[in-house]
Amino acid sequence: MRTSVAIIGAGPAGLLLARLLQRQGIDSVVLESRSREHVEHRQRAGILEQGTIDVLRECGAGERMDREGLLHDGIELRFGRAGHRIDMAALTGGRQVMVYAQTEVVRDLVALRLESGSPLLFEAEALAVEGAEGEQPRVRYRHDGAEQVLAADYVVGTDGFHGVARKSIPPERVRTYERTYPYAWLGILASVPPSTDELIYANHERGFALHSMRSTQVSRLYLQVPPDTSLQDWPDEEIWAELDRRFEVDADWKLQRGPITERSVTPMRSFVSEPLRHGRLLLAGDAAHIVPPTGAKGLNLAAADVTLLARALGSSLLRGDDAELDAYSDTALRRVWRAEHFSYFMTTLLHTDPAADDFGRRLQLSHLDYVANSTAAATSLAENYVGLPLPAGPA
């Protein structure tokens, strides 16, 4: 089989890239090692930046998002038993974020792909990327019990941290940067309407907590816990009691409880692999970088990567102009490192460091107070949270 662009991975990055290429008349084949059911049900991020909202609308994938998603103009920072609202829309010229789960984005993009009749192969395990340094790269993959080859002009790896794409680049051509944080998130989904209209990021001496949501009837909540936490150590009652403690506030506000339908423990780390291109193999999304979830940047970084990449591949394949493709890695990495820093900033600002002393704790509270009460500091947080605009394309 042959195509213009072989895409490994049917997460939001791979599916969005395929959709953006299709809108330009460029054919592609998407290979996904897992089943459709698995892909459409794995829980991930739930906050879309303004730029992600815009690109989903522009490519025809925004209809259900606009109908069911929840637009937010701000967030609340909660510390010292008080809430402090950051009015992101007012500070950024009207830019917003949307609460719409990654699972729903994936379902929308899968439906569009299948409706179009373009190739999307589930349970097709990519085994290796070969010939990336030449003119005819190919992907060896296993599907329906047989090993097959997909030849392409370009191969794009959107197959996550453990995928084959990044591992197909010679180690001597790669440089990685990584940081592991001394805490994790215990996350729950609960069948109860959210107790807040906007997300609450709570800093408490016992640890960080986040009140998010998936819909008007489903709440998503998180607790900072040690990395080695076992879910067996956290019965439902203790989870709710700890959330109550960390969200405590001197105001008329109460956390509503409901049945917990899903729970998980997520370790927190930062990771970047450079460069994002090796010959005709290109990387995007978690295949190239990971951020701690505090800044809500993972899905949005992936969307930004493939938006840049679709534009660059269009210029190369349709017009023979490789300038944007040659610049893709450097252009994307500038945005990646900005998002890595913002995610680090939000993580260290809001989490309780188990190794911190009283001096460090007071510095953290002073920083929170500055962000909450300085227009300049709040603006910096807001413009990074809603997402910085992508660089303009060619005229």
Side-chain angles (χ1 to χ4, degrees):
M1 182 162 50
R2 199 188 194 300
T3 189
S4 294
V5 182
I7 300 172
I8 308 173
L15 291 166
L16 179 57
L17 175 60
R19 179 67 178 175
L20 293 171
L21 293 173
Q22 184 179 11
R23 301 277 283 194
Q24 299 179 75
I26 298 171
D27 62 290
S28 64
V29 174
V30 182
L31 305 175
E32 169 55 49
S33 63
R34 304 296 188 94
S35 68
R36 179 180 178 182
E37 181 180 7
H38 177 88
V39 167
E40 291 188 340
H41 288 87
R42 53 189 171 192
Q43 291 292 332
R44 291 291 189 272
I47 305 296
L48 308 183
E49 292 178 356
Q50 183 69 64
T52 305
I53 297 168
D54 293 343
V55 73
L56 288 171
R57 287 171 175 163
E58 290 164 6
C59 76
E63 181 181 349
R64 192 163 71 93
M65 174 191 72
D66 282 329
R67 186 172 66 249
E68 299 179 10
L70 306 174
L71 280 171
H72 284 190
D73 289 333
I75 60 172
E76 179 185 323
L77 299 182
R78 187 172 289 190
F79 60 95
R81 300 181 65 90
H84 308 267
R85 184 171 186 265
I86 305 296
D87 190 337
M88 299 182 300
L91 294 167
T92 62
R95 293 172 70 81
Q96 300 170 294
V97 296
M98 173 89 76
V99 176
Y100 191 64
Q102 177 172 315
T103 50
E104 307 308 321
V105 174
V106 167
R107 287 171 187 162
D108 294 342
L109 289 169
V110 166
L112 287 170
R113 182 72 176 180
L114 296 178
E115 181 182 313
S116 74
S118 298
L120 168 54
L121 305 182
F122 291 105
E123 299 181 84
E125 180 188 7
L127 303 173
V129 178
E130 300 172 340
E133 295 181 358
E135 297 296 315
Q136 296 181 329
R138 57 199 174 274
V139 181
R140 283 195 298 109
Y141 68 100
R142 185 182 294 111
H143 187 235
D144 289 337
E147 189 170 312
Q148 303 182 47
V149 175
L150 173 61
D153 295 308
Y154 293 98
V155 176
V156 179
T158 62
D159 51 344
F161 179 80
H162 297 289
V164 72
R166 179 167 47 83
K167 296 175 184 176
S168 296
I169 302 176
E172 65 272 15
R173 303 288 182 88
V174 176
R175 184 168 184 181
T176 61
Y177 305 84
E178 188 168 10
R179 172 161 295 181
T180 301
Y181 297 89
Y183 28 73
W185 276 11
L186 192 166
I188 65 167
L189 274 177
S191 296
V192 60
S195 306
T196 175
D197 293 329
E198 296 176 333
L199 273 67
I200 302 173
Y201 288 80
N203 172 281
H204 191 275
E205 61 185 13
R206 295 176 63 91
F208 167 77
L210 171 61
H211 190 324
S212 183
M213 63 278 293
R214 282 293 177 264
S215 70
T216 58
Q217 299 301 314
V218 177
S219 295
R220 184 73 158 147
L221 301 111
Y222 299 92
L223 286 169
Q224 175 187 340
V225 294
D228 59 354
T229 292
S230 169
L231 289 174
Q232 295 179 348
D233 298 333
W234 285 89
D236 290 9
E237 179 60 33
E238 182 54 34
I239 290 174
W240 288 115
E242 189 62 25
L243 286 166
D244 278 333
R245 295 184 193 106
R246 298 192 193 181
F247 285 121
E248 60 187 357
V249 63
D250 293 330
D252 184 18
W253 183 89
K254 182 179 180 181
L255 178 65
Q256 301 300 318
R257 300 187 179 193
I260 295 175
T261 59
E262 190 170 316
R263 70 193 71 209
S264 62
V265 173
T266 304
M268 301 183 68
R269 63 194 177 109
S270 301
F271 175 85
V272 180
S273 178
E274 298 184 1
L276 306 188
R277 181 182 181 184
H278 173 65
R280 288 179 174 255
L281 169 61
L282 302 115
L283 303 179
D286 286 358
H289 44 74
I290 294 172
V291 291
T294 326
K297 288 287 163 273
L299 167 60
N300 294 296
L301 262 186
D305 286 350
V306 298
T307 301
L308 290 171
L309 192 49
R311 199 166 70 195
L313 287 167
S315 292
S316 177
L317 292 168
L318 300 177
R319 294 177 288 280
D321 183 352
D322 290 340
E324 281 194 275
L325 201 56
D326 291 340
Y328 165 68
S329 182
D330 290 341
T331 302
L333 281 169
R334 281 196 294 273
R335 187 181 186 87
V336 167
W337 279 110
R338 175 85 299 275
E340 289 283 356
H341 182 266
F342 178 68
S343 300
Y344 165 83
F345 160 75
M346 290 287 284
T347 300
T348 55
L349 177 70
L350 291 160
H351 288 72
T352 301
D353 186 343
D357 56 14
D358 290 342
F359 185 82
R361 174 66 179 158
R362 291 304 298 267
L363 287 177
Q364 186 183 50
L365 290 172
S366 175
H367 196 176
L368 279 163
D369 183 70
Y370 176 63
V371 172
N373 292 287
S374 163
T375 299
T379 300
S380 177
L381 188 156
E383 68 179 11
N384 281 276
Y385 195 93
V386 302
L388 300 171
L390 287 173

